[in-house]
Amino acid sequence: MLVASWTDAQRADSRVVASFPSVAELLAPKDARGGGAPAESDRRRRHMGTILEGLVRLKGYRGALVADRAGQSLVAMGRSAPSDLVARVQARLQEGHDGFVDLMHTASGSVLVSAAPVRQGDRGAATGCVLLLSDPWDWLFPNLLRDPALGTTAQAVLIGREGGRFVYLVRPRPPHLPDPTHGFLTAPD
């Protein structure tokens, strides 16, 4: 499977969940929900939890969540997302992105994030987002680093951009080391 096809599938998963009417209802302002009766709100959260749990279990995501515009997680299954990660995703979506798949870095390592905004109506303002979290070592990195033409001293070096800096997504390995280390190093200034 090509990397582009794989990321397209991840993007599609987050967009499908974000398009569910139950997600929009969960994120709707209380006055638009008719007062937001607690029993109805609990039912919506349980329903969303079932959907997210299915994605985590069946599609292999490490975590899945629905967050409001303030970055507050309303429903989450699997691994939780650090609040600073949710805030960075929300900021990108508020800039007008219609969803994305990107490798993002947290204090605990790299995570592949598929995010989609949840909108009230066709083109309304985003009221929150859906985040699907994957471990890049589950599929992406091993497939990018596997190259039948590479010899024992050759290697693929993955470099990304974070803000205005370039970062190594996988530590370059000296030829005498058999395997790359997991994680990333910030490129020297």
Side-chain angles (χ1 to χ4, degrees):
M1 177 185 283
L2 297 172
V3 172
S5 298
W6 184 75
T7 56
D8 286 348
Q10 294 235 332
R11 185 177 299 108
D13 286 347
S14 61
R15 286 182 175 168
V16 164
V17 174
S19 73
F20 289 168
S22 55
V23 177
E25 290 169 7
L26 184 66
L27 289 165
K30 286 185 181 177
D31 57 330
R33 290 186 255 156
E40 185 62 21
S41 181
D42 287 345
R43 184 193 65 75
R44 286 185 183 116
R45 286 178 196 267
R46 282 193 311 276
H47 173 71
M48 236 14 274
T50 301
I51 291 169
L52 296 179
E53 181 181 38
L55 276 171
V56 168
R57 188 171 32 85
L58 299 172
K59 300 279 294 224
Y61 289 104
R62 296 300 177 145
L65 66 104
V66 175
D68 64 15
R69 188 183 330 214
Q72 171 90 20
S73 176
L74 301 179
V75 180
M77 291 293 160
R79 185 187 300 167
S80 64
S83 59
D84 68 311
L85 176 73
V86 177
R88 286 186 283 155
V89 168
Q90 288 286 35
R92 280 183 67 179
L93 293 174
Q94 294 301 328
E95 291 171 358
H97 288 276
D98 197 28
F100 61 88
V101 176
D102 199 2
L103 187 66
M104 301 181 87
H105 306 291
T106 67
S108 60
S110 299
V111 63
L112 193 66
V113 176
S114 175
V118 177
R119 301 189 188 285
Q120 301 298 318
D122 289 339
R123 280 282 161 214
T127 56
C129 67
V130 171
L131 278 79
L132 304 177
L133 310 174
S134 300
D135 184 338
W137 285 102
D138 285 346
W139 188 90
L140 181 63
F141 286 172
N143 281 284
L144 288 175
L145 294 171
R146 184 181 65 210
D147 185 343
L150 294 179
T152 57
T153 60
Q155 66 178 307
V157 178
L158 303 177
I159 299 174
R161 188 173 201 134
E162 188 172 286
R165 300 183 64 181
F166 289 101
V167 294
Y168 292 107
L169 302 178
V170 177
R171 181 179 305 184
R173 66 177 160 90
H176 65 279
L177 293 178
D179 297 313
T181 49
H182 293 72
F184 72 96
L185 287 176
T186 304
D189 290 330

